[in-house]
Amino acid sequence: EETGRVEVARVTTAPIEEIVLVGTYSDDTYVIYAIADTHLSLETSIASLDEATLSRSSIVAAEEQGVWMTADGTLVTAPTVSERTQRMYSFAAIANADQPDFVLHLGDGTAGPSDWNSFLAAWNSISPPKLFVPGNHDFDNTTYASVAAMFGYDTRTTIGNNKFSYAQEISLGDISFLLLDVDTNRVDSSGFQTKLDWAAGQLNSTTSPLALIVAHTAPHNYLRNNYDGPTANAFNQIVLNALNSNPNLEKVQGIFGHEHPSNTYMDLFF
């Protein structure tokens, strides 16, 4: 197998769909399991497609009831609440059985009214090393401080007004990673420049050859995730500058959630 190649495979085992990121570096292989947009909720009613219209405001309202708009603008019925809960529990069981090097949840673990009890029961049962990245729906009826406390993140340094920007140097066998949560959910954009500056500092100073950027919405792709062009360009420039100036850094990867209904992940390489 060619050194440095990265493969992304989607694994579907009803009722679960997750991503498996398999990469090699210096002939060592790493495996990361990720899932996103499980949307565990206490709400049991699901809107029918004929209740949604094509106006933007009604689509947003319908999403809260379980109707999702696909990338091509069509509306589909989302999984039921019980199906979403089963998907999360199935993912936890698969991760525990397969024991990947690392497990990620890429945000929107819950949706209002949020069922944090079920989500945390499944999440806390996962035994491999793991990281939860918050999404916009995780704050539907839960505060930033509460979510941080649930995951034990309340002891982290506050960066750009909250605790979710986070850098962790991890070793997967002989491979060294910088795992960088850039906190790009769109609930609160204040302090975003502080987060950009922080991310630049992490990428410029890491001694790891690989960096994995994780976020709910992709900061560098405004066409798909509703960021403005200047913000996306600024983040791209941060990554490119780090690759050009940091002799230790050889590859930057990104993995993201947010898109409905297929929970499409983007694994982009800079």
Side-chain angles (χ1 to χ4, degrees):
E1 187 173 20
E2 179 184 353
T3 299
R5 188 177 69 179
V6 175
E7 298 176 351
V8 177
R10 299 196 62 80
V11 177
T12 302
T13 307
I16 174 181
E17 185 177 43
E18 79 274 8
I19 192 169
V20 179
L21 175 65
V22 180
T24 60
Y25 184 81
S26 299
D27 297 322
D28 291 308
T29 300
Y30 55 91
V31 179
I32 297 173
Y33 281 19
I35 194 170
D37 303 288
T38 43
H39 293 102
L40 270 62
S41 174
L42 297 172
E43 177 60 66
T44 57
S45 63
I46 298 294
S48 62
L49 294 183
D50 57 10
E51 293 174 352
T53 70
L54 293 182
S55 71
R56 180 60 190 165
S57 60
S58 64
I59 289 173
V60 172
E63 280 193 343
E64 301 299 325
Q65 302 174 62
V67 175
W68 290 343
M69 182 175 67
T70 65
D72 64 4
T74 59
L75 298 175
V76 297
T77 301
T80 66
V81 169
S82 61
E83 288 171 339
R84 299 180 217 172
T85 303
Q86 183 57 46
R87 177 171 173 250
M88 183 63 202
Y89 275 91
S90 297
F91 176 74
I94 292 171
N96 286 329
D98 294 353
Q99 290 291 302
D101 293 303
F102 212 84
V103 174
L104 297 170
H105 194 296
L106 302 170
D108 279 5
T110 66
S114 304
D115 185 2
W116 282 111
N117 288 337
S118 295
F119 181 87
L120 290 171
W123 179 250
N124 290 335
S125 73
I126 297 174
S127 60
K130 58 186 182 288
L131 180 72
F132 174 80
V133 177
N136 50 298
H137 283 298
D138 293 312
F139 305 104
D140 280 351
N141 60 311
T142 312
T143 65
Y144 269 70
S146 296
V147 173
M150 287 178 196
F151 293 90
Y153 298 165
D154 48 340
T155 59
R156 292 177 176 177
T157 301
T158 298
I159 299 169
N161 77 357
N162 61 56
K163 306 283 187 176
F164 298 113
S165 295
Y166 181 65
Q168 179 181 356
E169 299 274 359
I170 59 175
S171 295
L172 305 182
D174 294 327
I175 303 169
S176 179
F177 259 101
L178 170 69
L179 190 64
L180 192 66
D181 172 6
V182 294
D183 181 29
T184 54
N185 69 73
R186 292 174 292 143
V187 176
D188 187 349
S189 60
S190 63
F192 193 76
Q193 185 58 51
T194 302
K195 297 166 192 172
L196 287 178
D197 294 341
W198 169 83
Q202 295 295 328
L203 290 171
N204 287 329
S205 62
T206 183
T207 58
S208 295
L210 306 179
L212 180 63
I213 297 172
V214 298
H216 183 59
T217 51
H220 59 286
N221 193 329
Y222 72 97
L223 292 178
R224 298 179 72 92
N225 282 311
N226 300 323
Y227 283 97
D228 60 90
T231 298
N233 292 335
F235 190 84
N236 283 329
Q237 196 59 54
I238 284 172
V239 173
L240 293 174
N241 288 345
L243 285 169
N244 289 329
S245 63
N246 185 347
N248 299 308
L249 187 62
E250 298 179 9
K251 183 187 296 183
V252 179
Q253 300 169 213
I255 186 169
F256 315 101
H258 184 61
E259 296 196 24
H260 304 163
S262 61
N263 306 312
T264 300
Y265 307 87
M266 289 172 288
D267 186 40
L268 303 179
F269 315 104
F270 299 88

